Amino acid sequence: MSPKLTFLLCLGIYRKPSLSALPSPVVTSGGFVTLQCISWQGFDRFILTKEGEHRPSWTLDSQRRHNGQFQALFPVGPVTPSYRWTFRCCGCYRYIHQQCSEPSDPVELLVPGVSGKPSLLSQQGSIMTFGRNLTLQCLSDVGYDRFALSKEGGHNLPQRLSERPQTGRSQADFLLGRVSLSHGGRYRCYGGHKFSSKWSTPSDPLDILVAGVLPDTPSLSVQPGPTVAVGENMTLLCQTRSQRDILFLSKEGTMVSPLRLRSKYQAQQYQAQFSMSPVTSAHGGTYRCYSSFSTSPYELSHPSDALELVVSGPSGDPTSPPTWPNLTSGVQGLKPYQNVLIGISVAFVLLLFLFVLLLIRHRQQGKCRTSDATVKNTQPEEGVELHPQAAASDAPQDVIYAQLNHLTLGRKTTPPSSQSEEPPAEPSVYSALAIH
């Protein structure tokens, strides 16, 4: 039956029904959705009201479900991002004038847009146990006024006003209460502005897994051992005797989603090998594994015993920080090409050191020869007479004039002549030697 457009008001005499969107309140632009108004009260009809300026309403006769509830299914669409699609519903009796229920909680249809997608994370990690409180946080660098959280297969779309812990950032916390089986699933969030019907691109999906649903407890081991060096290969082996087709590997203290592999039946166990190569320091930590079914991948077994993985450096010590090998005590444990590189480096350093020593020695010898020559040139030889001005040691210029007899420069050394002798008549040469 097609809904009839009416203008009846929900006066709130009876308990309010519940309103949900099928299959999801997230609708692609131009798509259709079904709004389900349902109640345990035996109403004859239900009224659906669209919030807005004109507040149009549609009426449908109720239908009784097999479980005793009464419902009406309202088809809505095509849905576009040009308007806000917010609805409420109420139940009424046909023959009792103006006796209707309170209006239901609002349901807003969300049409994803193209604006910047937010991020969705769980501070407690992806794997939860029964009874723990679950909080999902949606945040964005875009200054959104509100956020909406959707669950795959869910029929509701809870919304929260955003907080502004930092300028230009916005976020909202969704408190989902204590974890139960119904909390497992895939979640996304959206950002929107208060007075706009447009929403952002959905965040990347976040899977919430509930541990302890299945009764088995897998075992976790590592090859070649719990201590592994950087750069080596490592394999974590998860096994269970129960028939499971999915195995998960998680690392404590990280918000990264756990690794997931399909199991293989071998040696009377279902197992999966998680290879990590080459190993880095980031691989160190505590690991656990879980089993599950591919038909219900959000319901996990009990966790395996914790496996502590230690990543060491080349010398066998934990990496933080890395250490250099001892060149004098050997390079055991290093690869052949590393030995060659170290040998070449040592030889190069020794040659460079020897070259520097030779250069320094050569310069010192050159300086010694220069100073010896200087001393010899400053001694008076035969035919060299000190100018009388040289006797004045307190002269302002430290200059010595020497009169050289060019005739005596080529002869062998002879006894000095008497001071009373007359100077030779040959022309003399005067040289000025400046001593500083």
Side-chain angles (χ1 to χ4, degrees):
M1 177 183 293
S2 300
K4 298 179 181 179
L5 182 62
T6 61
F7 295 94
L8 295 177
L9 299 178
C10 299
L11 301 179
I13 299 176
Y14 301 100
R15 183 177 299 178
K16 64 184 178 183
S18 63
L19 181 64
S20 58
L22 304 178
S24 170
V26 179
V27 189
T28 58
S29 180
F32 292 80
V33 68
T34 299
L35 297 181
Q36 179 192 50
C37 190
I38 191 170
S39 173
W40 288 102
Q41 192 78 24
F43 295 119
D44 299 317
R45 54 184 176 170
F46 290 95
I47 300 173
L48 180 69
T49 303
K50 184 176 184 293
E51 294 187 355
E53 183 178 355
H54 303 290
R55 296 181 62 86
S57 300
W58 297 266
T59 302
L60 274 179
D61 291 339
S62 66
Q63 299 174 347
R64 187 165 185 170
R65 291 167 52 90
H66 63 277
N67 61 355
Q69 289 181 300
F70 293 84
Q71 71 171 18
L73 301 175
F74 295 87
V76 176
V79 179
T80 64
S82 303
Y83 305 96
R84 292 189 65 170
W85 300 78
T86 305
F87 298 87
R88 295 177 186 264
C89 77
C90 62
C92 300
Y93 289 99
R94 186 185 305 273
Y95 301 107
I96 303 177
H97 182 63
Q98 292 185 345
Q99 287 196 9
C100 297
S101 70
E102 295 178 4
S104 68
D105 293 332
V107 168
E108 181 175 0
L109 303 181
L110 188 152
V111 181
V114 294
S115 59
K117 68 178 179 181
S119 299
L120 181 63
L121 55 91
S122 168
Q123 296 291 350
Q124 302 93 334
S126 297
I127 299 179
M128 302 292 296
T129 55
F130 287 108
R132 292 186 62 188
N133 289 320
L134 175 61
T135 300
L136 300 185
Q137 186 179 72
C138 190
L139 62 159
S140 173
D141 291 332
V142 180
Y144 292 120
D145 299 313
R146 55 181 178 154
F147 289 96
L149 179 69
S150 70
K151 181 185 176 186
E152 196 171 276
H155 308 312
N156 298 315
L157 193 71
Q159 296 187 28
R160 299 289 184 272
L161 295 178
S162 68
E163 302 174 356
R164 302 289 179 89
Q166 299 178 8
T167 303
R169 292 181 62 88
S170 55
Q171 71 177 52
D173 294 337
F174 293 87
L175 308 178
L176 303 184
R178 294 186 179 276
V179 172
S180 64
L181 189 60
S182 62
H183 284 93
R186 175 163 291 183
Y187 294 81
R188 291 181 174 87
C189 75
Y190 305 79
H193 297 283
K194 188 178 299 182
F195 301 106
S196 173
S197 60
K198 297 181 179 180
W199 291 87
S200 71
T201 301
S203 67
D204 292 332
L206 172 65
D207 291 342
I208 296 298
L209 313 175
V210 182
V213 179
L214 303 180
D216 63 306
T217 301
S219 63
L220 182 62
S221 59
V222 60
Q223 294 294 335
T227 301
V228 61
V230 170
E232 292 186 351
N233 298 328
M234 176 186 66
T235 300
L236 293 172
L237 177 64
C238 184
Q239 302 179 97
T240 179
R241 293 188 179 278
S242 301
Q243 186 175 357
R244 306 285 186 258
D245 58 349
I246 298 294
L247 293 174
F248 289 88
L249 177 68
S250 70
K251 181 183 178 184
E252 288 187 359
T254 179
M255 290 183 289
V256 179
S257 298
L259 300 178
R260 167 179 168 169
L261 287 178
R262 184 170 291 276
S263 68
K264 295 181 180 179
Y265 186 70
Q266 187 174 352
Q268 298 182 344
Q269 294 198 81
Y270 293 86
Q271 62 182 18
Q273 296 183 356
F274 297 87
S275 298
M276 298 181 184
S277 58
V279 171
T280 67
S281 58
H283 286 107
T286 302
Y287 292 82
R288 286 183 170 87
C289 76
Y290 305 78
S291 66
S292 182
F293 292 108
S294 57
T295 53
S296 53
Y298 307 111
E299 302 174 4
L300 306 184
S301 68
H302 295 281
S304 68
D305 291 336
L307 175 65
E308 186 72 23
L309 184 66
V310 178
V311 179
S312 64
S315 62
D317 297 327
T319 59
S320 292
T323 57
W324 292 101
N326 188 346
L327 298 180
T328 60
S329 62
V331 287
Q332 295 180 357
L334 296 180
K335 297 181 179 180
Y337 75 90
Q338 292 177 314
N339 294 331
V340 174
L341 290 177
I342 292 174
I344 293 175
S345 301
V346 173
F348 177 78
V349 172
L350 293 176
L351 289 175
L352 181 62
F353 181 71
L354 181 61
F355 175 78
V356 172
L357 288 178
L358 292 175
L359 182 62
I360 293 174
R361 184 176 180 183
H362 177 73
R363 288 186 176 181
Q364 289 177 346
Q365 291 177 351
K367 289 183 179 180
C368 292
R369 293 173 182 174
T370 304
S371 70
D372 292 343
T374 303
V375 172
K376 291 179 180 179
N377 290 337
T378 56
Q379 297 296 326
E381 299 180 1
E382 182 181 352
V384 178
E385 298 180 359
L386 296 180
H387 196 275
Q389 293 181 358
S393 60
D394 56 347
Q397 309 100 340
D398 295 333
V399 179
I400 297 176
Y401 293 91
Q403 187 176 28
L404 304 178
N405 189 334
H406 73 280
L407 295 178
T408 63
L409 295 178
R411 295 187 308 184
K412 295 183 180 179
T413 304
T414 58
S417 59
S418 175
Q419 293 182 359
S420 61
E421 293 180 68
E422 293 295 331
E426 285 85 5
S428 61
V429 178
Y430 292 89
S431 300
L433 302 178
I435 303 176
H436 299 282

